[in-house]
Amino acid sequence: MIKTIISFVSAIILSVSFSAFSKTKVTWSMESNADRDPIFLEKLQNAYNSAQDKYELEIQFEPNETRIESLRTSMLAGMGPDIVETPGPSYVKEYQEAGMLENLDSYAAEFGWKDKLIPWAYSSGVFDGSLYAIPKTHESMVMLYNKTLFEENGWKVPTTLEELEDVAGKIKAKGMDVYTYGSSGWQPTHEHLVGIYLNNYAGPQAVYEAITGEREWTDPVFIEALELLKRHMVDEGWWSGSLENYYAIGWDDFHAQFATRGAAMMTIGTWTFQATSLGIGQSGDEWGWAPLPSLSSNSGGPNFMIAIGTTMSVNAAAKNKDGAIDVLNWIMSNKDVVIDIASDFQFGEFVVPLLLDDSDIPSTISPQVTSYLNEYARITGEGNYGYCTWTFWPAEPGVHIWKDMEVVWAGDISVEDFMYDHQKMWDKARKKNETLPVPLRD
Amino acid sequence: MNFLSKKSYIAWYFVIPVVFIHLFVIGIPSILSLALCLTDWSGLGKINYVGFENFIELFDDRYFKKAIFHNILWTIIFLTVPVCIALMCAYLLTGIKRGQMFYRLAFFFPYMLASVVNCQIWKYLFHPIHGLGGFFESIGIEALASSPFTTKETSLYAAAFVDGWHFWGFLVVIYLTGMYQVDNHLYEAADIEGASKFQKFRYITLPMIRPIFIFSLMIIIIWSVPVFDYVYILTGGGPAYSSEVVANYLYTHAFVRFNVGYASAVGTLMFIYVIFIVGIFGLLRKLGWEI
């Protein structure tokens, strides 16, 4: 009897060991986040590993502040993870130019990836005519507001500049900040606001023309847009009460301000949905969202700025290229997995741009997020989409647009001079073939 | 082969491992960095030779000039404020017999803390909502409601203050060490002559600790060139480049703007400046200065 038990246990151990050792490892260096990591481990890594016997996915988490640099160093050394995660297309471009990423054209054709992804998102990974990256998440900018507060005061959610300035006056009269937001901990936050004003004042068509070189960034319509932003930011102190406070406030602060009625509204990306739901949910107030108001007649009505949060590529020097491709294909072939993970983040993260139907949206996510997803699909489907700077601006102008905006707000240079410098950087980027893919407009 | 076992070479054998480490970690990257300043390398991909283009662009770069000016200002601040306070405190401490260790520890403590910890403490202290800013606003003093780190006019001085606060304790310790080495008979003779405390400091202490004092000035001048961590954490060089320093400017170009060639040009100029400073001190030593 004892012999039988020993033989049985040994057989189990051997078979388990054999299956573990027979799998080849696929590595993925992913941006770390304390709340999100366990979900990615359970629902992505472990789920993938259980779903097949060939590969063993291993996700290595690291904060983006250090990950971006360590990834670059390891890639330069001909090493790096099998799946390369970058913070956006400008990074993909750098790696692609250096020949460090695998051309995915043949896999995309074999597995039909183009038919699974939203067309503009697919094209955001196409460089020099070939696919090099798949978006890991896509996002947009929205305006959040404290719905309970608005209802109590009879305020109307603004859709135009006039309405926005009217409600801003009423909010300030109540001793609150118009918007809460800040750049402490993430200086590029400025580009969120710049993008909003460019797209909602000058309009997406004008921005598209400037990105594609048909129009100069020194065009008066862009200068007026940034003059308006400067007035709202510096003179009116709409964001967190003053420019200095905006610089001093970080992610936790502005969520706390929003939840405790320190401010009535917030301009932010859709990545906030989970944090907002949790934060304001504890205060007893209800939150709402709205597309960003049209700031002039140029903007052509409400639009959603489109953006890629992070991207997934395959390392050209990957030890397990087939495994990396298999992981990407598994993600794109398992809509349920993507929706399940995205739902855990209230569609604020891991929103792989797969083509979804209304029926795909689970009932577990908040009604605000459901309505956003429907509106986003409807409005962008009609072609009313704008362009986020971190997805469509090449590296150097992409940094200039937020880093040097502080100089404009400080009054050290004029908006005209700023845009003149900006145009020069675009000219340089164009000359060096550093521009990024941009979806064609209808 | 006999010369290899000569006694005079033995010390060399012991330093060989350190030399190798320095060669691979500092020497070779430094030489490569010097070479990269003549290229337009982005940090990845092809390297194109551009001659002195990066330097020409640098000398025309208003933010680089601003960063240099801030480094000079930073050096002047550190050569004066912490040095004066540290000298005074060290001198006063020599007169304290009981509890001196407590003061020494208290002054030195910020120096032992990681820069990120020091910075977070001061950032929270001046936070406009949770810190003193919120307090001043609540009592109606609006002028003090904003954080000095995010105000254009004060950001550089605020960052220098925090760095100085962490650094001056280190100066106290080295000045104190120097002061304890001064022969006590000199003070006794001065006492007999009726010298005041200030006169004893001016005519005995200061001349006797001159080598340590000059050394402290030298390290301040050299350390003020690559000043980075306090500026990076507290202000990021902003707002609007108001606290930008050369090392942070280099970092931004190398790791944010993908301008490694340009950043290398900045690094090369920093390197030349440090060599120049060290050269001056070396020259003064050769001329017989006791430093």
Side-chain angles (χ1 to χ4, degrees):
Chain A
M1 182 64 183
I2 292 172
K3 273 185 180 176
T4 316
I5 292 171
I6 291 171
S7 313
F8 183 68
V9 171
S10 305
I12 290 174
I13 292 170
L14 274 173
S15 64
V16 168
S17 311
F18 180 75
S19 104
F21 284 113
S22 64
K23 283 183 158 189
T24 53
K25 199 195 279 181
V26 184
T27 53
W28 182 343
S29 160
M30 192 182 276
E31 177 190 0
S32 158
N33 176 295
D35 297 329
R36 298 199 293 248
D37 297 354
I39 293 169
F40 276 121
L41 280 180
E42 184 197 333
K43 296 189 172 178
L44 184 60
Q45 178 185 284
N46 297 349
Y48 172 77
N49 291 338
S50 310
Q52 45 74 49
D53 294 324
K54 215 171 167 188
Y55 306 109
E56 184 76 14
L57 175 63
E58 185 184 293
I59 299 177
Q60 298 145 351
F61 296 102
E62 195 181 337
N64 246 3
E65 295 83 30
T66 54
R67 197 184 69 85
I68 294 168
E69 284 158 34
S70 61
L71 178 69
R72 183 158 71 159
T73 309
S74 60
M75 295 287 280
L76 271 171
M79 308 287 283
D82 298 319
I83 297 173
V84 178
E85 181 177 309
T86 81
S90 64
Y91 288 83
V92 177
K93 176 78 179 166
E94 295 289 336
Y95 286 118
Q96 180 262 338
E97 286 272 305
M100 293 175 180
L101 299 180
E102 183 72 7
N103 185 324
L104 301 174
D105 279 349
S106 57
Y107 307 106
E110 185 184 344
F111 301 118
W113 289 348
K114 197 170 185 176
D115 301 329
K116 292 175 180 173
L117 292 166
I118 298 171
W120 73 262
Y122 180 89
S123 69
S124 73
V126 177
F127 296 84
D128 296 333
S130 292
L131 182 73
Y132 285 91
I134 303 289
K136 182 185 159 204
T137 192
H138 73 296
E139 55 212 13
S140 187
M141 296 294 297
V142 286
M143 184 177 74
L144 305 185
Y145 63 97
N146 186 323
K147 199 173 175 185
T148 315
L149 184 69
F150 266 64
E151 283 171 0
E152 278 174 14
N153 290 282
W155 295 336
K156 184 178 176 292
V157 179
T159 56
T160 63
L161 178 64
E162 292 70 31
E163 288 173 4
L164 179 63
E165 290 187 330
D166 177 55
V167 81
K170 289 172 180 165
I171 292 167
K172 284 171 96 171
K174 283 264 175 190
M176 286 177 268
D177 295 334
V178 179
Y179 293 118
T180 181
Y181 211 33
S183 65
S184 177
W186 187 245
Q187 211 180 349
T189 298
H190 311 337
E191 70 182 318
H192 303 161
L193 308 182
V194 175
I196 290 170
Y197 276 70
L198 289 177
N199 281 283
N200 291 281
Y201 186 93
Q205 181 64 33
V207 175
Y208 172 78
E209 286 166 10
I211 292 172
T212 51
E214 295 164 40
R215 190 191 282 244
E216 299 261 297
W217 287 107
T218 49
D219 192 294
V221 76
F222 297 124
I223 290 167
E224 287 166 18
L226 296 189
E227 288 285 7
L228 183 66
L229 171 61
K230 188 182 170 190
R231 179 159 70 80
H232 289 162
M233 170 62 85
V234 184
D235 304 336
E236 311 276 348
W238 275 11
W239 282 272
S240 304
S242 69
L243 178 64
E244 288 76 18
N245 285 0
Y246 163 79
Y247 287 143
I249 282 173
W251 175 264
D252 292 337
D253 301 320
F254 57 71
H255 277 103
Q257 283 288 88
F258 188 59
T260 57
R261 296 190 171 192
M265 300 189 287
M266 176 155 60
T267 45
I268 197 166
T270 51
W271 55 82
T272 192
F273 282 153
Q274 188 187 17
T276 306
S277 303
L278 290 171
I280 203 164
Q282 290 168 353
S283 73
D285 282 354
E286 198 184 336
W287 65 280
W289 74 273
L292 292 148
S294 297
L295 301 173
S296 82
S297 54
N298 303 314
S299 71
N303 69 74
F304 285 99
M305 291 152 68
I306 51 177
I308 300 299
T310 42
T311 66
M312 307 175 284
S313 299
V314 175
N315 188 345
K319 287 181 187 144
N320 195 346
K321 217 171 274 180
D322 292 342
I325 296 290
D326 193 64
V327 172
L328 296 188
N329 190 44
W330 184 78
I331 291 170
M332 280 182 280
S333 308
N334 285 280
K335 207 195 270 186
D336 293 347
V337 171
V338 171
I339 291 169
D340 186 28
I341 298 175
S343 301
D344 284 346
F345 307 132
Q346 292 291 337
F347 276 74
E349 174 59 41
F350 205 64
V351 192
V352 181
L354 297 173
L355 290 163
L356 303 178
D357 299 323
D358 290 353
S359 58
D360 290 322
I361 300 169
S363 56
T364 51
I365 64 166
S366 76
Q368 291 96 326
V369 177
T370 307
S371 81
Y372 159 75
L373 291 170
N374 287 325
E375 273 295 279
Y376 176 84
R378 186 180 68 78
I379 291 179
T380 55
E382 289 167 0
N384 294 327
Y385 51 79
Y387 303 88
C388 282
T389 54
W390 62 95
T391 301
F392 300 103
W393 264 241
E396 208 175 349
V399 175
H400 179 256
I401 200 77
W402 55 264
K403 180 98 182 153
D404 289 15
M405 185 45 63
E406 290 186 359
V407 186
V408 175
W409 291 341
D412 292 350
I413 63 167
S414 65
V415 174
E416 285 89 347
D417 288 344
F418 173 76
M419 291 311 259
Y420 173 78
D421 289 345
H422 198 61
Q423 180 60 43
K424 274 204 307 189
M425 287 184 190
W426 270 89
D427 291 341
K428 196 173 153 191
R430 232 178 280 286
K431 206 171 149 191
K432 290 169 81 177
N433 188 31
E434 285 173 351
T435 52
L436 302 173
V438 54
L440 293 172
R441 290 188 80 78
D442 297 330
Chain B
M1 289 298 279
N2 260 357
F3 73 95
L4 286 175
S5 58
K6 273 187 184 170
K7 264 194 174 175
S8 56
Y9 287 107
I10 289 175
W12 278 103
Y13 301 146
F14 282 99
V15 296
I16 279 174
V18 182
V19 170
F20 265 107
I21 291 170
H22 271 60
L23 196 68
F24 283 107
V25 178
I26 297 171
I28 294 173
S30 299
I31 292 164
L32 286 176
S33 177
L34 288 177
L36 286 173
C37 72
L38 303 174
T39 71
D40 67 349
W41 194 42
S42 68
L44 294 164
K46 277 189 291 184
I47 302 177
N48 300 311
Y49 174 76
V50 294
F52 287 94
E53 204 177 283
N54 288 328
F55 291 96
I56 294 165
E57 211 176 309
L58 255 185
F59 292 129
D60 197 34
D61 184 335
R62 58 177 177 263
Y63 300 124
F64 178 63
K65 287 177 194 165
K66 206 168 185 176
I68 289 180
F69 175 68
H70 290 158
N71 269 80
I72 294 169
L73 216 55
W74 190 280
T75 311
I76 294 169
I77 292 170
F78 272 72
L79 283 174
T80 50
V81 183
V83 168
C84 292
I85 297 173
L87 264 180
M88 191 177 73
C89 281
Y91 187 57
L92 293 175
L93 274 179
T94 54
I96 296 176
K97 300 296 171 204
R98 297 181 71 181
Q100 195 204 67
M101 191 50 81
F102 168 76
Y103 284 105
R104 282 164 72 168
L105 251 179
F107 294 158
F108 194 67
F109 191 69
Y111 193 74
M112 295 192 293
L113 293 177
S115 52
V116 68
V117 176
N118 284 335
C119 291
Q120 289 305 335
I121 291 169
W122 285 96
K123 265 178 117 168
Y124 278 119
L125 205 59
F126 285 112
H127 196 282
I129 299 171
H130 320 296
L132 288 172
F135 167 73
F136 285 125
E137 195 177 16
S138 69
I139 58 169
I141 309 175
E142 294 286 333
L144 298 174
S146 300
S147 167
F149 303 118
T150 59
T151 306
K152 185 186 152 195
E153 290 75 19
T154 55
S155 61
L156 181 75
Y157 303 103
F161 168 79
V162 177
D163 196 359
W165 168 79
H166 121 276
F167 179 66
W168 78 282
F170 169 73
L171 290 180
V172 170
V173 171
I174 64 165
Y175 291 154
L176 204 57
T177 311
M179 286 175 191
Y180 276 127
Q181 286 166 5
V182 179
D183 191 344
N184 222 21
H185 291 106
L186 296 171
Y187 292 117
E188 284 167 10
D191 283 338
I192 293 165
E193 296 292 333
S196 67
K197 201 146 176 95
F198 177 74
Q199 284 171 322
K200 283 193 281 183
F201 174 74
R202 167 71 184 81
Y203 295 105
I204 300 172
T205 310
L206 212 49
M208 295 306 286
I209 65 162
R210 198 170 77 161
I212 283 182
F213 183 66
I214 301 288
F215 170 75
S216 73
L217 299 186
M218 188 179 82
I219 57 168
I220 287 171
I221 294 171
I222 292 172
W223 287 356
S224 295
V225 180
V227 55
F228 174 73
D229 48 354
Y230 280 83
V231 170
Y232 177 75
I233 301 165
L234 287 168
T235 67
Y241 297 93
S242 60
S243 59
E244 187 65 286
V245 288
V246 176
N248 191 59
Y249 198 63
L250 182 156
Y251 173 84
T252 309
H253 272 279
F255 299 108
V256 182
R257 293 182 190 252
F258 288 110
N259 264 340
V260 174
Y262 196 72
S264 297
V266 176
T268 303
L269 293 181
M270 287 169 76
F271 176 73
I272 292 169
Y273 175 73
V274 171
I275 293 289
F276 176 70
I277 296 295
V278 173
I280 286 181
F281 277 93
L283 188 71
L284 292 176
R285 199 170 287 158
K286 276 200 166 175
L287 291 173
W289 283 49
E290 272 185 53
I291 53 174

